[in-house]
Amino acid sequence: MTTGTTKATKRLHVITWGCQMNVYDSARMQDVLAPLGYAAADGPEGADMVILNTCHIRDKAAEKVFSELGRLRALKDAKAAAGGRMILAVAGCVAQAEGAEIVARAPYVDVVLGPQTYHRLPEMVARASRAAGAVIETEFPAEDKFDFLPDQSAAPGPTAFLTVQEGCDKFCSFCVVPYTRGAEQSRPLGAVLAEARRLVAAGAREITLLGQNVNAWHGAPGGLAELIKQLAGINGLARIRYTTSHPRDMDDALIAAHGDVPQLMPFLHLPVQSGSDRVLAAMNRRHTAADYLRLVERLRAARPDLALSSDFIVGHPGETAADFAATLDLVRAVGFAQAYSFKYSPRPGTPAAAAPSQVAEAEKDARLQALQALLRAQQGAFNADCVGRTVDVLFTGPGRHPGQIAGRSPWLQPVHAAAPATLIGRIAPVKIVAANPNSLSATLVHEEHLPA
Ligand code: 5AD
Ligand code: SF4
């Protein structure tokens, strides 16, 4: 299906919260609406359609959505007063979780759609345009949306995301994902390879495979390791990454692939959540701290320069000071290159939300600060360790200062260098000259790449 011939007559603005999969989904919603004449608008002012692509994972997600909707209502009213119509849609995981509640609280919303129904968006928009009242689609349809979505239309740039797996069957005690994204589903090998080839032909040098449980991908025998090997055969695809993984699904073949496939970058986001076996059991993680440490050891044996990233939750119900100390111990034992850490946030409908022994907010704050100080120190040490080394950087765009361009190291660190814009989209060796808390500064290694 192509969309290039459709005349753009309407303006669409998408606001995206949350994970990389939502970023990918927002692009796909724009693709599916392009044949109806919708083209991207920079802002919501005067737009013919605004989509809020929402995230429900933490915090008061629904409240954020309602306050944004309140602001958009004024723009919708202004458009109506001028004789036009703004269609307001709420998509993503808050839409899936709250469904009709959204329309009950914000009756001016026209469309509410869950993540598995994006391919039906044109029909929903048509229905919303024809009649008053909201269109709500939050069931999990029998058909696979990927069979109905058009090919990605926008040029991906040097780095691209590709969703290969969605949903989760793990049911960690704290997490809404199994309820909002549904059961684990994998896209078939052929479909993924075809999309990857299109992305590379359009200029992508790096592809990040996305899935809530990406290493549980089972779209072909051999699992994710097989998919990675097949992707490595695509000419021009220099870098492969995948996120997010569950420790239980790191199989032998995938560990071996880290050693065998040079295109697979030496950086792995592998959430552990806690270092206490008691808390890990309460979280229903189905692995222990020792299991995780063993896994890290095996991964580093396969790929000695592998850097690790993780997710942590502090203050899960029942977490004691001793449990939290065990988390700090695990962090010290692994040494993370970077990590995300969060205060436990009760999500309605999840088992942990109803558990007794909720941890006091002040205690969660104190633990989060202690954990983040340790993680920051580890990240700083990892970055400092890079100074003086020569590393390959995939340049992706302009830098912060004139004459600079920016890109990513193999370990996903942002790198800035004084270099010509002609290097954007290419990989070049640079010498790291300084480490900042969240990025690296570098100089080009080869004279011919230096600016004139
Ligand atoms: N509270 C805090 N953090 C959470 N996460 C998921 N659910 C919650 C919650 N209820 C974190 C986990 C997960 C990351 C994406 O978000 O660490 O790995
Ligand atoms: Fe949520 Fe656990 Fe599934 Fe990750 S593995 S999406 S944390 S339920």
Side-chain angles (χ1 to χ4, degrees), residues 174-209:
F174 50 82
C175 187
V176 285
V177 165
Y179 312 97
T180 57
R181 288 272 172 175
E184 266 179 22
Q185 263 186 314
S186 298
R187 292 179 69 189
L189 179 68
V192 174
L193 289 176
E195 187 167 339
R197 284 194 199 99
R198 278 195 300 271
L199 289 169
V200 173
R205 305 293 323 274
E206 172 180 303
I207 290 181
T208 301
L209 305 175

PDB file of all heavy atoms in Angstrom, residues 174-209:
ATOM      1  N   PHE A 174       3.212  -5.747  39.901  1.00  0.00           N
ATOM      2  CA  PHE A 174       3.051  -4.291  39.915  1.00  0.00           C
ATOM      3  C   PHE A 174       2.598  -3.723  38.582  1.00  0.00           C
ATOM      4  O   PHE A 174       2.326  -2.538  38.469  1.00  0.00           O
ATOM      5  CB  PHE A 174       4.397  -3.637  40.285  1.00  0.00           C
ATOM      6  CG  PHE A 174       5.547  -4.169  39.457  1.00  0.00           C
ATOM      7  CD1 PHE A 174       5.798  -3.689  38.189  1.00  0.00           C
ATOM      8  CD2 PHE A 174       6.350  -5.189  39.948  1.00  0.00           C
ATOM      9  CE1 PHE A 174       6.841  -4.204  37.423  1.00  0.00           C
ATOM     10  CE2 PHE A 174       7.402  -5.704  39.191  1.00  0.00           C
ATOM     11  CZ  PHE A 174       7.638  -5.214  37.922  1.00  0.00           C
ATOM     12  N   CYS A 175       2.540  -4.552  37.538  1.00  0.00           N
ATOM     13  CA  CYS A 175       2.566  -4.036  36.165  1.00  0.00           C
ATOM     14  C   CYS A 175       1.222  -4.121  35.456  1.00  0.00           C
ATOM     15  O   CYS A 175       0.533  -5.148  35.510  1.00  0.00           O
ATOM     16  CB  CYS A 175       3.622  -4.807  35.372  1.00  0.00           C
ATOM     17  SG  CYS A 175       3.893  -4.122  33.744  1.00  0.00           S
ATOM     18  N   VAL A 176       0.854  -3.044  34.753  1.00  0.00           N
ATOM     19  CA  VAL A 176      -0.412  -3.010  34.012  1.00  0.00           C
ATOM     20  C   VAL A 176      -0.303  -3.594  32.606  1.00  0.00           C
ATOM     21  O   VAL A 176      -1.328  -3.826  31.969  1.00  0.00           O
ATOM     22  CB  VAL A 176      -0.954  -1.565  33.843  1.00  0.00           C
ATOM     23  CG1 VAL A 176      -1.538  -1.046  35.118  1.00  0.00           C
ATOM     24  CG2 VAL A 176       0.113  -0.645  33.284  1.00  0.00           C
ATOM     25  N   VAL A 177       0.934  -3.800  32.141  1.00  0.00           N
ATOM     26  CA  VAL A 177       1.111  -4.145  30.729  1.00  0.00           C
ATOM     27  C   VAL A 177       0.304  -5.372  30.280  1.00  0.00           C
ATOM     28  O   VAL A 177      -0.324  -5.345  29.218  1.00  0.00           O
ATOM     29  CB  VAL A 177       2.613  -4.288  30.387  1.00  0.00           C
ATOM     30  CG1 VAL A 177       2.830  -4.983  29.069  1.00  0.00           C
ATOM     31  CG2 VAL A 177       3.264  -2.912  30.361  1.00  0.00           C
ATOM     32  N   PRO A 178       0.275  -6.465  31.064  1.00  0.00           N
ATOM     33  CA  PRO A 178      -0.498  -7.620  30.590  1.00  0.00           C
ATOM     34  C   PRO A 178      -1.985  -7.285  30.392  1.00  0.00           C
ATOM     35  O   PRO A 178      -2.661  -7.938  29.603  1.00  0.00           O
ATOM     36  CB  PRO A 178      -0.314  -8.654  31.707  1.00  0.00           C
ATOM     37  CG  PRO A 178       0.986  -8.278  32.347  1.00  0.00           C
ATOM     38  CD  PRO A 178       1.024  -6.773  32.296  1.00  0.00           C
ATOM     39  N   TYR A 179      -2.448  -6.253  31.108  1.00  0.00           N
ATOM     40  CA  TYR A 179      -3.860  -5.871  30.979  1.00  0.00           C
ATOM     41  C   TYR A 179      -4.073  -4.870  29.849  1.00  0.00           C
ATOM     42  O   TYR A 179      -5.113  -4.883  29.194  1.00  0.00           O
ATOM     43  CB  TYR A 179      -4.369  -5.278  32.299  1.00  0.00           C
ATOM     44  CG  TYR A 179      -4.004  -6.141  33.503  1.00  0.00           C
ATOM     45  CD1 TYR A 179      -2.884  -5.860  34.275  1.00  0.00           C
ATOM     46  CD2 TYR A 179      -4.760  -7.270  33.823  1.00  0.00           C
ATOM     47  CE1 TYR A 179      -2.531  -6.661  35.355  1.00  0.00           C
ATOM     48  CE2 TYR A 179      -4.406  -8.082  34.900  1.00  0.00           C
ATOM     49  CZ  TYR A 179      -3.286  -7.768  35.656  1.00  0.00           C
ATOM     50  OH  TYR A 179      -2.927  -8.576  36.709  1.00  0.00           O
ATOM     51  N   THR A 180      -3.103  -3.976  29.627  1.00  0.00           N
ATOM     52  CA  THR A 180      -3.318  -2.948  28.604  1.00  0.00           C
ATOM     53  C   THR A 180      -2.842  -3.372  27.219  1.00  0.00           C
ATOM     54  O   THR A 180      -3.436  -2.987  26.219  1.00  0.00           O
ATOM     55  CB  THR A 180      -2.597  -1.623  28.969  1.00  0.00           C
ATOM     56  OG1 THR A 180      -1.211  -1.875  29.139  1.00  0.00           O
ATOM     57  CG2 THR A 180      -3.168  -1.027  30.242  1.00  0.00           C
ATOM     58  N   ARG A 181      -1.770  -4.162  27.165  1.00  0.00           N
ATOM     59  CA  ARG A 181      -1.256  -4.564  25.850  1.00  0.00           C
ATOM     60  C   ARG A 181      -1.682  -5.984  25.485  1.00  0.00           C
ATOM     61  O   ARG A 181      -1.435  -6.435  24.366  1.00  0.00           O
ATOM     62  CB  ARG A 181       0.272  -4.456  25.810  1.00  0.00           C
ATOM     63  CG  ARG A 181       0.774  -3.030  25.785  1.00  0.00           C
ATOM     64  CD  ARG A 181       0.872  -2.483  24.351  1.00  0.00           C
ATOM     65  NE  ARG A 181       1.168  -1.059  24.364  1.00  0.00           N
ATOM     66  CZ  ARG A 181       1.395  -0.340  23.274  1.00  0.00           C
ATOM     67  NH1 ARG A 181       1.358  -0.884  22.076  1.00  0.00           N
ATOM     68  NH2 ARG A 181       1.625   0.943  23.356  1.00  0.00           N
ATOM     69  N   GLY A 182      -2.231  -6.712  26.454  1.00  0.00           N
ATOM     70  CA  GLY A 182      -2.747  -8.044  26.160  1.00  0.00           C
ATOM     71  C   GLY A 182      -1.684  -9.118  26.175  1.00  0.00           C
ATOM     72  O   GLY A 182      -0.550  -8.902  26.621  1.00  0.00           O
ATOM     73  N   ALA A 183      -2.061 -10.289  25.652  1.00  0.00           N
ATOM     74  CA  ALA A 183      -1.186 -11.465  25.695  1.00  0.00           C
ATOM     75  C   ALA A 183      -0.013 -11.298  24.734  1.00  0.00           C
ATOM     76  O   ALA A 183      -0.084 -10.537  23.766  1.00  0.00           O
ATOM     77  CB  ALA A 183      -1.984 -12.703  25.318  1.00  0.00           C
ATOM     78  N   GLU A 184       1.064 -12.049  25.014  1.00  0.00           N
ATOM     79  CA  GLU A 184       2.245 -12.018  24.148  1.00  0.00           C
ATOM     80  C   GLU A 184       1.892 -12.425  22.723  1.00  0.00           C
ATOM     81  O   GLU A 184       1.250 -13.446  22.510  1.00  0.00           O
ATOM     82  CB  GLU A 184       3.284 -13.015  24.670  1.00  0.00           C
ATOM     83  CG  GLU A 184       4.291 -12.396  25.586  1.00  0.00           C
ATOM     84  CD  GLU A 184       5.297 -13.416  26.096  1.00  0.00           C
ATOM     85  OE1 GLU A 184       5.474 -14.471  25.458  1.00  0.00           O
ATOM     86  OE2 GLU A 184       5.879 -13.148  27.150  1.00  0.00           O
ATOM     87  N   GLN A 185       2.366 -11.628  21.784  1.00  0.00           N
ATOM     88  CA  GLN A 185       2.136 -11.935  20.371  1.00  0.00           C
ATOM     89  C   GLN A 185       3.402 -11.567  19.606  1.00  0.00           C
ATOM     90  O   GLN A 185       3.976 -10.512  19.850  1.00  0.00           O
ATOM     91  CB  GLN A 185       1.023 -11.038  19.838  1.00  0.00           C
ATOM     92  CG  GLN A 185      -0.328 -11.688  19.819  1.00  0.00           C
ATOM     93  CD  GLN A 185      -1.322 -10.768  19.138  1.00  0.00           C
ATOM     94  OE1 GLN A 185      -1.367  -9.581  19.420  1.00  0.00           O
ATOM     95  NE2 GLN A 185      -2.091 -11.318  18.231  1.00  0.00           N
ATOM     96  N   SER A 186       3.801 -12.424  18.682  1.00  0.00           N
ATOM     97  CA  SER A 186       5.008 -12.146  17.899  1.00  0.00           C
ATOM     98  C   SER A 186       4.630 -11.929  16.445  1.00  0.00           C
ATOM     99  O   SER A 186       3.782 -12.640  15.908  1.00  0.00           O
ATOM    100  CB  SER A 186       5.963 -13.338  17.967  1.00  0.00           C
ATOM    101  OG  SER A 186       6.380 -13.565  19.288  1.00  0.00           O
ATOM    102  N   ARG A 187       5.276 -10.979  15.800  1.00  0.00           N
ATOM    103  CA  ARG A 187       5.094 -10.838  14.346  1.00  0.00           C
ATOM    104  C   ARG A 187       5.949 -11.900  13.665  1.00  0.00           C
ATOM    105  O   ARG A 187       7.059 -12.205  14.102  1.00  0.00           O
ATOM    106  CB  ARG A 187       5.529  -9.454  13.879  1.00  0.00           C
ATOM    107  CG  ARG A 187       4.623  -8.353  14.392  1.00  0.00           C
ATOM    108  CD  ARG A 187       5.107  -6.995  13.931  1.00  0.00           C
ATOM    109  NE  ARG A 187       4.940  -6.809  12.499  1.00  0.00           N
ATOM    110  CZ  ARG A 187       5.450  -5.779  11.826  1.00  0.00           C
ATOM    111  NH1 ARG A 187       6.178  -4.868  12.468  1.00  0.00           N
ATOM    112  NH2 ARG A 187       5.239  -5.656  10.537  1.00  0.00           N
ATOM    113  N   PRO A 188       5.463 -12.449  12.554  1.00  0.00           N
ATOM    114  CA  PRO A 188       6.222 -13.513  11.889  1.00  0.00           C
ATOM    115  C   PRO A 188       7.536 -13.002  11.285  1.00  0.00           C
ATOM    116  O   PRO A 188       7.659 -11.826  10.930  1.00  0.00           O
ATOM    117  CB  PRO A 188       5.279 -14.019  10.794  1.00  0.00           C
ATOM    118  CG  PRO A 188       4.108 -13.126  10.775  1.00  0.00           C
ATOM    119  CD  PRO A 188       4.162 -12.189  11.928  1.00  0.00           C
ATOM    120  N   LEU A 189       8.484 -13.924  11.184  1.00  0.00           N
ATOM    121  CA  LEU A 189       9.826 -13.612  10.683  1.00  0.00           C
ATOM    122  C   LEU A 189       9.789 -12.839   9.356  1.00  0.00           C
ATOM    123  O   LEU A 189      10.456 -11.813   9.206  1.00  0.00           O
ATOM    124  CB  LEU A 189      10.614 -14.916  10.509  1.00  0.00           C
ATOM    125  CG  LEU A 189      12.028 -14.804   9.979  1.00  0.00           C
ATOM    126  CD1 LEU A 189      12.933 -14.126  10.990  1.00  0.00           C
ATOM    127  CD2 LEU A 189      12.597 -16.182   9.628  1.00  0.00           C
ATOM    128  N   GLY A 190       9.010 -13.352   8.405  1.00  0.00           N
ATOM    129  CA  GLY A 190       8.997 -12.748   7.068  1.00  0.00           C
ATOM    130  C   GLY A 190       8.560 -11.293   7.106  1.00  0.00           C
ATOM    131  O   GLY A 190       9.147 -10.430   6.442  1.00  0.00           O
ATOM    132  N   ALA A 191       7.532 -11.014   7.905  1.00  0.00           N
ATOM    133  CA  ALA A 191       7.017  -9.642   7.989  1.00  0.00           C
ATOM    134  C   ALA A 191       8.059  -8.717   8.611  1.00  0.00           C
ATOM    135  O   ALA A 191       8.246  -7.575   8.169  1.00  0.00           O
ATOM    136  CB  ALA A 191       5.725  -9.617   8.812  1.00  0.00           C
ATOM    137  N   VAL A 192       8.754  -9.217   9.624  1.00  0.00           N
ATOM    138  CA  VAL A 192       9.769  -8.394  10.289  1.00  0.00           C
ATOM    139  C   VAL A 192      10.931  -8.122   9.336  1.00  0.00           C
ATOM    140  O   VAL A 192      11.399  -6.983   9.209  1.00  0.00           O
ATOM    141  CB  VAL A 192      10.274  -9.086  11.577  1.00  0.00           C
ATOM    142  CG1 VAL A 192      11.434  -8.294  12.175  1.00  0.00           C
ATOM    143  CG2 VAL A 192       9.143  -9.236  12.586  1.00  0.00           C
ATOM    144  N   LEU A 193      11.383  -9.174   8.627  1.00  0.00           N
ATOM    145  CA  LEU A 193      12.508  -8.992   7.704  1.00  0.00           C
ATOM    146  C   LEU A 193      12.138  -8.022   6.586  1.00  0.00           C
ATOM    147  O   LEU A 193      12.945  -7.165   6.196  1.00  0.00           O
ATOM    148  CB  LEU A 193      12.938 -10.343   7.119  1.00  0.00           C
ATOM    149  CG  LEU A 193      13.640 -11.293   8.097  1.00  0.00           C
ATOM    150  CD1 LEU A 193      13.921 -12.640   7.429  1.00  0.00           C
ATOM    151  CD2 LEU A 193      14.937 -10.690   8.636  1.00  0.00           C
ATOM    152  N   ALA A 194      10.904  -8.131   6.094  1.00  0.00           N
ATOM    153  CA  ALA A 194      10.478  -7.235   5.006  1.00  0.00           C
ATOM    154  C   ALA A 194      10.482  -5.791   5.499  1.00  0.00           C
ATOM    155  O   ALA A 194      10.955  -4.882   4.796  1.00  0.00           O
ATOM    156  CB  ALA A 194       9.087  -7.640   4.512  1.00  0.00           C
ATOM    157  N   GLU A 195       9.981  -5.568   6.708  1.00  0.00           N
ATOM    158  CA  GLU A 195       9.968  -4.196   7.228  1.00  0.00           C
ATOM    159  C   GLU A 195      11.392  -3.700   7.454  1.00  0.00           C
ATOM    160  O   GLU A 195      11.717  -2.539   7.170  1.00  0.00           O
ATOM    161  CB  GLU A 195       9.151  -4.114   8.530  1.00  0.00           C
ATOM    162  CG  GLU A 195       8.972  -2.673   9.002  1.00  0.00           C
ATOM    163  CD  GLU A 195       7.919  -2.498  10.097  1.00  0.00           C
ATOM    164  OE1 GLU A 195       7.049  -3.363  10.249  1.00  0.00           O
ATOM    165  OE2 GLU A 195       7.998  -1.473  10.800  1.00  0.00           O
ATOM    166  N   ALA A 196      12.252  -4.581   7.957  1.00  0.00           N
ATOM    167  CA  ALA A 196      13.644  -4.185   8.204  1.00  0.00           C
ATOM    168  C   ALA A 196      14.321  -3.800   6.883  1.00  0.00           C
ATOM    169  O   ALA A 196      15.034  -2.793   6.810  1.00  0.00           O
ATOM    170  CB  ALA A 196      14.401  -5.314   8.883  1.00  0.00           C
ATOM    171  N   ARG A 197      14.085  -4.587   5.821  1.00  0.00           N
ATOM    172  CA  ARG A 197      14.709  -4.272   4.524  1.00  0.00           C
ATOM    173  C   ARG A 197      14.231  -2.923   4.004  1.00  0.00           C
ATOM    174  O   ARG A 197      15.011  -2.138   3.468  1.00  0.00           O
ATOM    175  CB  ARG A 197      14.385  -5.364   3.497  1.00  0.00           C
ATOM    176  CG  ARG A 197      15.204  -6.618   3.717  1.00  0.00           C
ATOM    177  CD  ARG A 197      15.147  -7.582   2.536  1.00  0.00           C
ATOM    178  NE  ARG A 197      15.563  -8.879   3.002  1.00  0.00           N
ATOM    179  CZ  ARG A 197      14.730  -9.863   3.342  1.00  0.00           C
ATOM    180  NH1 ARG A 197      13.418  -9.710   3.181  1.00  0.00           N
ATOM    181  NH2 ARG A 197      15.194 -10.999   3.795  1.00  0.00           N
ATOM    182  N   ARG A 198      12.941  -2.653   4.202  1.00  0.00           N
ATOM    183  CA  ARG A 198      12.415  -1.344   3.761  1.00  0.00           C
ATOM    184  C   ARG A 198      13.079  -0.215   4.543  1.00  0.00           C
ATOM    185  O   ARG A 198      13.443   0.817   3.985  1.00  0.00           O
ATOM    186  CB  ARG A 198      10.890  -1.291   3.972  1.00  0.00           C
ATOM    187  CG  ARG A 198      10.089  -1.948   2.870  1.00  0.00           C
ATOM    188  CD  ARG A 198       8.615  -1.551   2.952  1.00  0.00           C
ATOM    189  NE  ARG A 198       7.994  -1.941   4.203  1.00  0.00           N
ATOM    190  CZ  ARG A 198       7.409  -3.108   4.434  1.00  0.00           C
ATOM    191  NH1 ARG A 198       7.340  -4.010   3.469  1.00  0.00           N
ATOM    192  NH2 ARG A 198       6.867  -3.373   5.605  1.00  0.00           N
ATOM    193  N   LEU A 199      13.237  -0.408   5.854  1.00  0.00           N
ATOM    194  CA  LEU A 199      13.851   0.639   6.682  1.00  0.00           C
ATOM    195  C   LEU A 199      15.290   0.894   6.242  1.00  0.00           C
ATOM    196  O   LEU A 199      15.725   2.045   6.145  1.00  0.00           O
ATOM    197  CB  LEU A 199      13.818   0.231   8.165  1.00  0.00           C
ATOM    198  CG  LEU A 199      12.434   0.239   8.819  1.00  0.00           C
ATOM    199  CD1 LEU A 199      12.482  -0.447  10.190  1.00  0.00           C
ATOM    200  CD2 LEU A 199      11.917   1.670   8.968  1.00  0.00           C
ATOM    201  N   VAL A 200      16.018  -0.175   5.971  1.00  0.00           N
ATOM    202  CA  VAL A 200      17.422  -0.018   5.565  1.00  0.00           C
ATOM    203  C   VAL A 200      17.493   0.655   4.187  1.00  0.00           C
ATOM    204  O   VAL A 200      18.306   1.558   3.969  1.00  0.00           O
ATOM    205  CB  VAL A 200      18.158  -1.389   5.584  1.00  0.00           C
ATOM    206  CG1 VAL A 200      19.555  -1.262   4.991  1.00  0.00           C
ATOM    207  CG2 VAL A 200      18.221  -1.929   7.011  1.00  0.00           C
ATOM    208  N   ALA A 201      16.600   0.247   3.288  1.00  0.00           N
ATOM    209  CA  ALA A 201      16.583   0.872   1.958  1.00  0.00           C
ATOM    210  C   ALA A 201      16.281   2.367   2.072  1.00  0.00           C
ATOM    211  O   ALA A 201      16.753   3.174   1.272  1.00  0.00           O
ATOM    212  CB  ALA A 201      15.548   0.187   1.066  1.00  0.00           C
ATOM    213  N   ALA A 202      15.516   2.739   3.104  1.00  0.00           N
ATOM    214  CA  ALA A 202      15.156   4.152   3.286  1.00  0.00           C
ATOM    215  C   ALA A 202      16.195   4.905   4.101  1.00  0.00           C
ATOM    216  O   ALA A 202      16.006   6.065   4.438  1.00  0.00           O
ATOM    217  CB  ALA A 202      13.784   4.252   3.951  1.00  0.00           C
ATOM    218  N   GLY A 203      17.285   4.240   4.484  1.00  0.00           N
ATOM    219  CA  GLY A 203      18.385   4.978   5.122  1.00  0.00           C
ATOM    220  C   GLY A 203      18.736   4.571   6.541  1.00  0.00           C
ATOM    221  O   GLY A 203      19.673   5.108   7.122  1.00  0.00           O
ATOM    222  N   ALA A 204      17.980   3.632   7.131  1.00  0.00           N
ATOM    223  CA  ALA A 204      18.302   3.239   8.509  1.00  0.00           C
ATOM    224  C   ALA A 204      19.603   2.430   8.534  1.00  0.00           C
ATOM    225  O   ALA A 204      19.800   1.539   7.714  1.00  0.00           O
ATOM    226  CB  ALA A 204      17.165   2.420   9.115  1.00  0.00           C
ATOM    227  N   ARG A 205      20.493   2.781   9.452  1.00  0.00           N
ATOM    228  CA  ARG A 205      21.729   2.006   9.656  1.00  0.00           C
ATOM    229  C   ARG A 205      21.629   1.151  10.913  1.00  0.00           C
ATOM    230  O   ARG A 205      22.400   0.241  11.134  1.00  0.00           O
ATOM    231  CB  ARG A 205      22.947   2.936   9.796  1.00  0.00           C
ATOM    232  CG  ARG A 205      23.175   3.918   8.671  1.00  0.00           C
ATOM    233  CD  ARG A 205      23.568   3.272   7.351  1.00  0.00           C
ATOM    234  NE  ARG A 205      24.430   2.109   7.452  1.00  0.00           N
ATOM    235  CZ  ARG A 205      25.756   2.124   7.537  1.00  0.00           C
ATOM    236  NH1 ARG A 205      26.394   3.268   7.558  1.00  0.00           N
ATOM    237  NH2 ARG A 205      26.445   1.010   7.601  1.00  0.00           N
ATOM    238  N   GLU A 206      20.718   1.544  11.797  1.00  0.00           N
ATOM    239  CA  GLU A 206      20.543   0.834  13.063  1.00  0.00           C
ATOM    240  C   GLU A 206      19.055   0.556  13.263  1.00  0.00           C
ATOM    241  O   GLU A 206      18.229   1.423  13.017  1.00  0.00           O
ATOM    242  CB  GLU A 206      21.043   1.713  14.222  1.00  0.00           C
ATOM    243  CG  GLU A 206      20.720   1.148  15.594  1.00  0.00           C
ATOM    244  CD  GLU A 206      21.231   2.032  16.731  1.00  0.00           C
ATOM    245  OE1 GLU A 206      22.456   2.293  16.774  1.00  0.00           O
ATOM    246  OE2 GLU A 206      20.421   2.457  17.563  1.00  0.00           O
ATOM    247  N   ILE A 207      18.746  -0.665  13.687  1.00  0.00           N
ATOM    248  CA  ILE A 207      17.349  -0.997  14.002  1.00  0.00           C
ATOM    249  C   ILE A 207      17.285  -1.505  15.433  1.00  0.00           C
ATOM    250  O   ILE A 207      18.072  -2.359  15.837  1.00  0.00           O
ATOM    251  CB  ILE A 207      16.788  -2.047  13.023  1.00  0.00           C
ATOM    252  CG1 ILE A 207      16.598  -1.429  11.632  1.00  0.00           C
ATOM    253  CG2 ILE A 207      15.454  -2.601  13.534  1.00  0.00           C
ATOM    254  CD1 ILE A 207      16.031  -2.368  10.588  1.00  0.00           C
ATOM    255  N   THR A 208      16.349  -0.952  16.198  1.00  0.00           N
ATOM    256  CA  THR A 208      16.080  -1.447  17.542  1.00  0.00           C
ATOM    257  C   THR A 208      14.774  -2.231  17.499  1.00  0.00           C
ATOM    258  O   THR A 208      13.721  -1.678  17.168  1.00  0.00           O
ATOM    259  CB  THR A 208      15.970  -0.285  18.545  1.00  0.00           C
ATOM    260  OG1 THR A 208      17.194   0.448  18.525  1.00  0.00           O
ATOM    261  CG2 THR A 208      15.720  -0.807  19.953  1.00  0.00           C
ATOM    262  N   LEU A 209      14.868  -3.508  17.795  1.00  0.00           N
ATOM    263  CA  LEU A 209      13.681  -4.363  17.817  1.00  0.00           C
ATOM    264  C   LEU A 209      12.938  -4.091  19.121  1.00  0.00           C
ATOM    265  O   LEU A 209      13.536  -4.107  20.196  1.00  0.00           O
ATOM    266  CB  LEU A 209      14.088  -5.834  17.745  1.00  0.00           C
ATOM    267  CG  LEU A 209      14.986  -6.207  16.562  1.00  0.00           C
ATOM    268  CD1 LEU A 209      15.429  -7.662  16.667  1.00  0.00           C
ATOM    269  CD2 LEU A 209      14.252  -5.963  15.250  1.00  0.00           C
TER     270      LEU A 209
END
